[in-house]
């Protein structure tokens, strides 16, 4: 007796589809139960808050699908912000500073990629190390102070909205990058190589995939996008600080795993990840409106991170047990 189901039914029963449904439900519940949550002003702040996490989550998705991880992304953001402030203090024009910061982010990502793919060191240990290294360098560059007074034309665009409505201008680069990453992951040979590398590195090598080179460039892109997030963060708050983005790596990883990407690699979708970002940001925003402390918000992030790892594995084991029972 066959237990095969139509593809559309399997898709609806998937973890990422469930996260999308839960996200919609949480948005509806919060709009009705939390005062001011549904206001256009709060909607703008919600999007502004989730945009850096969503940006960094795009390349992080591909990195984790290959079976690796990058915990240095928030420190890359902070170091980029610190360098941006230092260069601005030295009198460089902002049009020169922004490309330099993007290059810096790519170089920091390349360093991670070198350690992981050339020296064959475990990515968890490497990026924990560079997390501390990059954050320390940020404080060396800028110290405990802050640099402000960036050009108003840039800060106004980053904090402004499309046509004066509730949708921030910063959503434009996110949508563009989300489409690019989505197409790459789900509709190109590169994406198929990413999934193959995560499902089994040895098999991928036998299939002719240059896994090391693939992972190296994914780390470069991860650093580049984290650098972009650092630039946008700095312009949004008009404040370059060494501690910008502190702790954000946990929110990014939680959102990616919550969106259905397997921590073991080989599985995940970008729409699920974006839903995970929105779900996490919605919960945090609603709790902030209820005057919940930042410490409690960290607890929520930690709990969601544990759930996103634990629950899918429980579901997989439960389904495997059902299949074994059906065949006996």
């Amino acid at each position: 007796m066959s237990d095969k189901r139509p593809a559309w039914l399997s898709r609806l029963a998937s973890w990422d589809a469930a996260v999308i449904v839960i996200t919609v439900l949480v948005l509806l519940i919060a709009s009705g139960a939390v005062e001011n949550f549904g206001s256009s002003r709060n909607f703008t702040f919600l999007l502004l808050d989730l945009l850096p996490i969503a940006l960094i989550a795009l390349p992080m998705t591909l990195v984790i699908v290959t079976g690796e991880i990058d915990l240095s992304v928030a420190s890359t953001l902070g170091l980029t912000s610190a360098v941006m402030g230092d260069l601005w203090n030295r009198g460089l024009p902002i049009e020169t500073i922004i490309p330099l910061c993007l290059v810096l982010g790519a170089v920091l990502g390349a360093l991670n990629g070198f350690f992981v793919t050339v020296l064959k060191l475990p990515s968890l240990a490497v990026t924990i190390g560079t997390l501390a290294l990059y954050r320390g360098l940020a404080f060396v560059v800028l110290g405990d102070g802050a640099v402000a007074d960036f050009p108003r034309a840039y800060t106004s665009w980053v904090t402004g909205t499309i046509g004066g409505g509730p949708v921030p201008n910063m959503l434009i680069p996110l949508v563009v990058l989300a489409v690019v990453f989505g197409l790459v992951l789900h509709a190109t040979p590169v994406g198929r190589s990413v999934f193959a590398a995560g499902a089994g590195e040895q098999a991928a090598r036998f299939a002719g995939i240059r896994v090391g080179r693939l992972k190296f460039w994914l780390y470069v892109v991860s650093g580049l996008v984290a650098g972009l997030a650092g630039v946008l963060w700095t312009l949004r708050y008009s404040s370059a600080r060494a501690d910008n983005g502190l702790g954000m790596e946990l929110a990014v990883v939680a959102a990616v795993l919550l969106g259905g990407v397997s921590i073991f690699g080989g599985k995940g979708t970008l729409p699920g990840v974006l839903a995970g970002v929105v779900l996490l940001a919605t919960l945090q925003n609603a709790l902030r409106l209820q005057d919940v402390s930042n410490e409690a918000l960290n607890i929520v992030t930690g709990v969601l991170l544990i759930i996103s790892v634990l629950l899918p594995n429980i579901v997989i084991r439960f389904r495997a047990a059902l299949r074994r029972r059906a065949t006996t």
Side-chain angles (χ1 to χ4, degrees):
M1 180 177 177
S2 175
D3 61 349
K4 290 184 178 180
R5 295 176 296 179
W8 65 268
L9 187 58
S10 298
R11 183 76 268 167
L12 288 177
S14 65
W15 173 263
D16 49 328
V19 171
I20 293 173
V21 172
I22 292 171
T23 301
V24 173
L25 291 176
V26 169
L27 283 167
L28 293 174
I29 293 171
S31 297
V34 179
E35 186 178 359
N36 296 323
F37 179 86
S39 67
S40 60
R41 180 179 177 82
N42 185 64
F43 179 74
T44 301
F45 282 120
L46 172 62
L47 289 178
L48 286 171
D49 288 341
L50 69 81
L51 281 167
I53 297 174
L55 276 174
I56 297 175
L58 296 175
M60 181 72 82
T61 298
L62 276 68
V63 171
I64 295 181
V65 168
T66 63
E68 306 293 349
I69 197 166
D70 185 358
L71 295 178
S72 69
V73 285
S75 296
T76 299
L77 183 157
L79 179 52
T80 302
S81 179
V83 170
M84 187 175 178
D86 182 65
L87 294 178
W88 180 249
N89 268 346
R90 295 175 185 272
L92 269 70
I94 194 71
E95 294 80 9
T96 302
I97 293 174
I98 292 176
L100 287 176
C101 288
L102 297 181
V103 171
L104 172 62
V107 170
L108 298 176
L111 183 60
N112 286 333
F114 174 79
F115 286 135
V116 173
T117 64
V118 178
L119 300 185
K120 307 297 182 183
L121 300 175
S123 59
L124 179 62
V126 165
T127 57
I128 287 176
T130 52
L131 177 156
L133 172 63
Y134 298 165
R135 185 66 67 179
L137 288 174
F139 280 100
V140 169
V141 169
L142 203 59
D144 294 327
V147 177
D149 300 324
F150 291 98
R152 185 168 179 81
Y154 287 84
T155 58
S156 296
W157 186 88
V158 170
T159 57
T161 59
I162 300 174
V167 180
N169 292 325
M170 282 216 308
L171 191 65
I172 297 173
L174 173 62
V175 170
V176 171
L177 287 177
V179 171
V180 171
F181 277 93
L183 290 175
V184 168
L185 182 61
H186 298 296
T188 68
V190 174
R192 290 190 287 274
S193 297
V194 168
F195 282 109
E201 185 170 325
Q202 282 295 100
R205 292 183 191 279
F206 288 137
I209 297 172
R210 301 181 67 175
V211 177
R213 186 175 68 172
L214 173 66
K215 290 183 178 181
F216 175 82
W217 285 108
L218 288 181
Y219 275 106
V220 172
V221 173
S222 180
L224 174 64
V225 175
L228 173 62
V231 169
L232 294 175
W233 181 295
T234 303
L235 293 175
R236 177 195 171 184
Y237 294 104
S238 192
S239 177
R241 295 180 57 91
D243 61 354
N244 278 349
L246 188 65
M248 185 188 290
E249 62 279 339
L250 291 182
V252 173
V253 173
V256 172
L257 299 185
L258 190 62
V261 176
S262 172
I263 190 63
F264 304 108
K267 179 183 177 184
T269 68
L270 210 58
V273 169
L274 293 175
V277 171
V278 175
L279 176 57
L280 180 61
T282 299
L283 290 172
Q284 292 181 336
N285 180 269
L287 291 172
R288 283 195 186 99
L289 290 175
Q290 300 285 53
D291 294 324
V292 174
S293 67
N294 286 330
E295 290 75 15
L297 292 179
N298 290 334
I299 292 173
V300 171
T301 302
V303 169
L304 289 176
L305 184 55
I306 293 172
I307 290 174
S308 62
V309 174
L310 184 62
L311 194 56
N313 284 283
I314 292 175
V315 172
I316 290 172
R317 293 184 182 185
F318 179 72
R319 288 177 175 173
L322 288 180
R323 284 195 295 269
R324 286 196 300 270
R325 180 175 295 181
T327 57
T328 57

